[in-house]
Amino acid sequence: MKGVREHYELGKYLRQRYDGFLSKAYHASQIYVRSSSFNRAIMSASANMAGLFEPEGDQLWNKQIRWQPVPIQVVPKENDPMLWTKRPCPAATQLFEDFKKSSSELRRIEQKYARLLTFLGQKTGLNRTLQLYNDVYDVFDLLNCQIYYRNDTTRDAYHIDIGECPRPCTLNQFGARSVPRIPRDWYKECGINECRDQKSLRI
């Protein structure tokens, strides 16, 4: 339950940092919590809110339990292009497959680092030679998050440089720079003709 504890501590840190900006009492009109549909993510969000909104006064419904339920909004992963990054996209898949077949540079890199890819496959428990683009990203993403982006509650928040964005990068500036990279119509971008719930897939 280490992850639960860390998210609870992060919620306590957010309370300390934003106290006065966020009210101590939970108000649905003040905060919107969104999670992916994976159980571990929902649990993380719940633990975070437990630290951020510890009940007081009228919201203290049980004196033995310093906790109150905070709604966590969830969208099924098949309808969630925002948080489910591995959602199938036929158009992107086809472009990627064409690139893998035609790129001499990709083959050169795979040959150059063949021993490293085999080593990583053994040490990560996959027990096979990793594919450069299909597997290495998952390994890199885990290490990258641990080395560069892992914050903790024992120090003040620190700036993370985001390319093409001034420092500090405000939410509006980050949003403006994200627009060209986020499809407004996921189905159209991915070449999918039918949509069961078109509105839920628009950002």
Side-chain angles (χ1 to χ4, degrees):
M1 301 299 285
K2 180 181 178 182
V4 173
R5 184 175 66 253
E6 288 181 343
H7 263 285
Y8 176 76
E9 292 173 352
L10 178 58
K12 300 287 283 186
Y13 174 77
L14 293 175
R15 165 52 55 199
Q16 174 187 340
R17 181 173 176 81
Y18 295 106
D19 196 32
F21 175 74
L22 289 174
S23 64
K24 289 185 179 296
Y26 166 74
H27 295 289
S29 61
Q30 192 177 72
I31 187 168
Y32 173 86
V33 186
R34 170 76 182 276
S35 170
S36 69
S37 59
F38 293 96
N39 288 338
R40 57 177 175 76
I42 299 172
M43 292 173 66
S44 294
S46 297
N48 195 300
M49 291 300 101
L52 182 58
F53 291 108
E54 187 173 304
E56 295 180 351
D58 294 341
Q59 293 188 336
L60 184 60
W61 60 278
N62 187 325
K63 294 182 179 180
Q64 304 301 317
I65 304 176
R66 304 291 296 183
W67 170 85
Q68 65 173 325
V70 173
I72 309 297
Q73 307 300 326
V74 176
V75 175
K77 67 178 184 179
E78 59 270 15
N79 290 338
D80 188 3
M82 181 183 297
L83 297 179
W84 188 36
T85 58
K86 294 186 178 181
R87 188 171 181 274
C89 180
T93 299
Q94 186 60 54
L95 288 172
F96 181 54
E97 291 300 322
D98 292 344
F99 169 75
K100 288 196 297 183
K101 292 177 182 178
S102 62
S103 175
S104 59
E105 179 66 12
L106 177 60
R107 289 192 292 273
R108 184 189 68 79
I109 294 174
E110 286 180 329
Q111 292 173 359
K112 180 178 179 180
Y113 295 103
R115 292 180 61 186
L116 175 61
L117 294 174
T118 300
F119 173 81
L120 290 174
Q122 295 171 346
K123 296 302 180 182
T124 55
L126 295 175
N127 297 319
R128 58 179 171 80
T129 299
L130 300 188
Q131 295 183 352
L132 186 60
Y133 275 86
N134 291 355
D135 300 316
V136 170
Y137 172 78
D138 291 334
V139 176
F140 168 78
D141 187 50
L142 175 62
L143 296 176
N144 189 50
C145 288
Q146 290 180 346
I147 295 172
Y148 295 105
Y149 296 104
R150 185 178 182 183
N151 209 337
D152 63 67
T153 57
T154 62
R155 56 173 290 188
D156 288 337
Y158 51 89
H159 293 300
I160 296 176
D161 289 327
I162 300 175
E164 304 176 2
C165 193
R167 182 175 181 180
C169 185
T170 67
L171 183 60
N172 287 339
Q173 290 170 329
F174 178 75
R177 284 159 175 78
S178 300
V179 168
R181 298 171 174 83
I182 301 176
R184 296 188 62 82
D185 189 325
W186 184 273
Y187 276 94
K188 183 177 180 180
E189 290 277 350
C190 291
I192 300 175
N193 295 323
E194 296 183 2
C195 175
R196 183 177 59 186
D197 186 1
Q198 189 79 15
K199 291 183 179 180
S200 69
L201 289 163
R202 293 181 181 272
I203 298 177

